[in-house]
Amino acid sequence: MPHTLETGLAALKQVMNTKVVFTEAEWADIASRWHYHFLPKGEHQIMPGQMEEYIYFIISGATRIYHISAKGEDITLAFSYDNTFTGDYGSFLTRRKATFYNQAVSDCHLLRCKYIDINELHDKYQKMERWTRLGLEELLVGMLVRQVEMLSAPAEERFARLLRQSPHCFQLYTQKHIASYLGIQPETLSRLKRRLKKTQDTRLRNN
Amino acid sequence: MPHTLETGLAALKQVMNTKVVFTEAEWADIASRWHYHFLPKGEHQIMPGQMEEYIYFIISGATRIYHISAKGEDITLAFSYDNTFTGDYGSFLTRRKATFYNQAVSDCHLLRCKYIDINELHDKYQKMERWTRLGLEELLVGMLVRQVEMLSAPAEERFARLLRQSPHCFQLYTQKHIASYLGIQPETLSRLKRRLKKTQDTRLRNN
DNA sequence: AAAATAACTTGACCTACATCAATGCGCCAC
DNA sequence: GTGGCGCATTGATGTAGGTCAAGTTATTTT
């Protein structure tokens, strides 16, 4: 029986142990606080105005965190998929109302853990506090890289880099959403794709 | 005697206590690991390729964290000033070589703490681990807000918001640096300023 | 205080990307 | 299958902001 609590916890354990190694007793306590949850394709895990009560771990599936701007534009902020965490961290961490949408773009098999459980774990185990700290550090470094790229690289380069570093995203998400993640319009992404293919074709022909 | 170790530690204590309240004994241990450092205007606290050995607390002064892109563009990522922390967090946290410059734009009176001391404090006190976690959470939320703004708001709005929320930055930093922080050219910022003043003037005249 | 240097302003022109619009294509519903 | 709908492509045109250049004003440096 794939994608249920057991297999999910095994995946979660492996992911968590890459940062901090928990004892079996600690792990048992942690594991007991995560619960299976299913989110069908198209449904929202959270919407602006709600409180983010859980942090989510994706066993399998894909979600998209986005924001609707003042002008009504749909802006994709992050992609989440197998073996990654998701949710509106801002809301979850600060206990303020969510500002983002998080939508399943395919059926999602999830584990989730309540805020109070995460908090209790933080109180109970220094290691848990450290695990979260290390996770936040990683997130922060990633966001800095993205920030630099958005400010310094033109659309074409940002696209090329995403294609190189996260090709699977082009399978999981529509071009519309990838475009908004890259900060451009779908039409522009379409044209970039064609241009890139053309230059690759001519390169092939010349070699 | 202003801006020396004592006054600096008093400021640091106050800032740290807003997140986690330390006992006097804990604080004494923490305080003993921070040391005064002076960075004259124009000098760099760190440059790409170096290892960030310290985390810095600014008693007084201002620095600018920036990056030189592949095309040679100077991109300002963050401003730091009195009572804030600074440094290349990415390098400091991950122990990899710095990718950013951090330059004093005015004489800086600093406190700094070595990586190993921070680490020892993390090992020794769960509270310290929590303090760092909460600090990272705050940083992360701020970066998310900025990311959304960069993707959704046009230059004029980003400028107006910075002017509203951080007017002191316009005293501390040159327009060139503020422009690069906003993701525009200095010429564009100059034009935006004029346009904004014009609309404000007409509004005044009509009231 | 003069000279040198850097910052800011303004104008003319240019380009990357947006917008609008038309057409074609896949995909799900029934 | 076939009707419908959202997604992708392509073309024509618009525009925010970039680039280049010249002049002005601050700010250092000597």
Side-chain angles (χ1 to χ4, degrees):
Chain A
M1 54 178 95
H3 305 321
T4 61
L5 189 59
E6 283 87 315
T7 59
L9 285 173
L12 177 64
K13 183 179 183 180
Q14 207 170 341
V15 168
M16 287 187 76
N17 271 327
T18 60
K19 289 212 167 50
V20 175
V21 179
F22 294 96
T23 66
E24 282 306 313
E26 286 164 347
W27 171 250
D29 189 5
I30 293 166
S32 75
R33 296 162 191 267
W34 288 81
H35 303 285
Y36 176 82
H37 183 70
F38 178 73
L39 189 71
K41 173 175 177 173
E43 303 248 314
H44 283 87
Q45 176 264 301
I46 191 139
M47 291 181 134
Q50 300 173 347
M51 183 71 85
E52 182 66 285
E53 288 297 344
Y54 298 90
I55 193 82
Y56 290 81
F57 174 77
I58 302 181
I59 306 168
S60 81
T63 79
R64 175 178 82 92
I65 295 173
Y66 67 98
H67 174 76
I68 304 294
S69 78
K71 276 147 245 89
E73 291 171 310
D74 176 323
I75 294 154
T76 300
L77 290 153
F79 298 125
S80 319
Y81 30 77
D82 296 16
N83 293 317
T84 66
F85 296 88
T86 195
D88 184 323
Y89 299 138
S91 171
F92 183 79
L93 296 170
T94 65
R95 311 270 70 204
R96 283 188 243 121
K97 286 181 178 171
T99 54
F100 302 135
Y101 297 84
N102 190 14
Q103 185 184 34
V105 300
S106 62
D107 282 353
C108 283
H109 301 271
L110 306 162
L111 293 179
R112 65 183 189 181
C113 185
K114 280 212 164 221
Y115 177 79
I116 45 162
D117 280 309
I118 292 283
N119 240 23
E120 274 181 36
L121 291 171
H122 280 151
D123 286 341
K124 219 162 157 187
Y125 308 113
Q126 181 158 6
K127 271 186 205 170
M128 183 68 189
E129 193 85 68
R130 171 157 305 182
W131 178 77
T132 302
R133 170 169 69 84
L134 295 175
L136 287 170
E137 286 181 7
E138 198 172 279
L139 244 166
L140 190 77
V141 169
M143 288 199 66
L144 277 168
V145 170
R146 177 154 152 76
Q147 196 188 328
V148 167
E149 196 174 71
M150 292 301 295
L151 283 166
S152 66
E156 184 160 6
E157 269 175 55
R158 302 201 297 271
F159 164 58
R161 160 129 13 137
L162 185 65
L163 193 57
R164 214 173 335 112
Q165 296 194 344
S166 308
H168 58 286
C169 282
F170 289 83
Q171 312 311 114
L172 296 173
Y173 301 97
T174 64
Q175 298 206 8
K176 202 173 65 161
H177 297 150
I178 288 172
S180 87
Y181 178 77
L182 292 171
I184 57 179
Q185 297 307 113
E187 293 94 328
T188 304
L189 181 53
S190 178
R191 285 181 246 269
L192 288 180
K193 265 175 52 181
R194 186 157 56 137
R195 268 185 19 212
L196 194 74
K197 208 195 290 182
K198 236 179 220 165
T199 61
Q200 282 180 341
D201 287 355
T202 54
R203 211 178 296 150
L204 274 174
R205 223 172 297 124
N206 295 344
N207 291 357
Chain B
M1 55 178 90
H3 305 322
T4 62
L5 189 58
E6 282 88 315
T7 60
L9 285 174
L12 177 64
K13 183 179 183 180
Q14 206 170 343
V15 168
M16 288 187 75
N17 271 325
T18 61
K19 289 210 169 50
V20 175
V21 178
F22 294 96
T23 66
E24 282 307 312
E26 286 164 346
W27 172 249
D29 189 5
I30 293 166
S32 75
R33 296 161 190 267
W34 288 81
H35 302 286
Y36 176 82
H37 183 70
F38 178 73
L39 189 71
K41 174 174 177 174
E43 304 249 311
H44 283 87
Q45 177 263 302
I46 190 136
M47 290 180 136
Q50 301 173 349
M51 183 72 85
E52 181 66 285
E53 289 297 344
Y54 297 91
I55 193 81
Y56 291 81
F57 174 77
I58 303 182
I59 306 168
S60 81
T63 80
R64 175 178 82 93
I65 295 172
Y66 67 99
H67 174 75
I68 303 294
S69 78
K71 277 148 247 87
E73 291 171 310
D74 176 323
I75 293 155
T76 300
L77 290 154
F79 298 124
S80 319
Y81 31 78
D82 296 17
N83 292 317
T84 66
F85 294 88
T86 195
D88 185 322
Y89 299 138
S91 172
F92 182 79
L93 296 170
T94 64
R95 311 268 73 204
R96 283 188 244 123
K97 285 180 178 172
T99 54
F100 301 135
Y101 297 83
N102 190 15
Q103 185 183 33
V105 300
S106 61
D107 282 353
C108 282
H109 301 273
L110 306 163
L111 293 180
R112 64 184 191 182
C113 184
K114 279 211 164 222
Y115 178 79
I116 45 162
D117 280 307
I118 292 283
N119 240 23
E120 275 182 36
L121 291 171
H122 279 151
D123 286 341
K124 219 162 155 187
Y125 309 113
Q126 181 159 7
K127 270 187 207 170
M128 183 68 189
E129 194 84 69
R130 171 156 305 181
W131 178 78
T132 303
R133 171 170 69 84
L134 294 176
L136 288 170
E137 287 182 6
E138 197 172 278
L139 244 166
L140 189 77
V141 170
M143 288 198 65
L144 277 168
V145 170
R146 177 153 151 78
Q147 194 188 327
V148 168
E149 196 174 71
M150 291 302 294
L151 283 166
S152 67
E156 183 160 6
E157 269 176 54
R158 302 200 297 271
F159 164 58
R161 162 130 11 139
L162 184 65
L163 192 57
R164 213 172 338 111
Q165 296 194 344
S166 308
H168 58 287
C169 282
F170 290 83
Q171 312 311 114
L172 296 173
Y173 301 96
T174 64
Q175 298 206 8
K176 201 173 66 161
H177 298 149
I178 288 173
S180 86
Y181 178 77
L182 292 171
I184 57 179
Q185 297 306 114
E187 293 95 327
T188 303
L189 181 54
S190 178
R191 286 183 245 268
L192 288 180
K193 264 174 53 182
R194 188 159 54 139
R195 270 189 11 217
L196 195 75
K197 207 195 290 182
K198 237 178 218 166
T199 61
Q200 284 180 340
D201 285 357
T202 54
R203 211 177 296 151
L204 273 175
R205 224 172 295 125
N206 295 342
N207 292 356

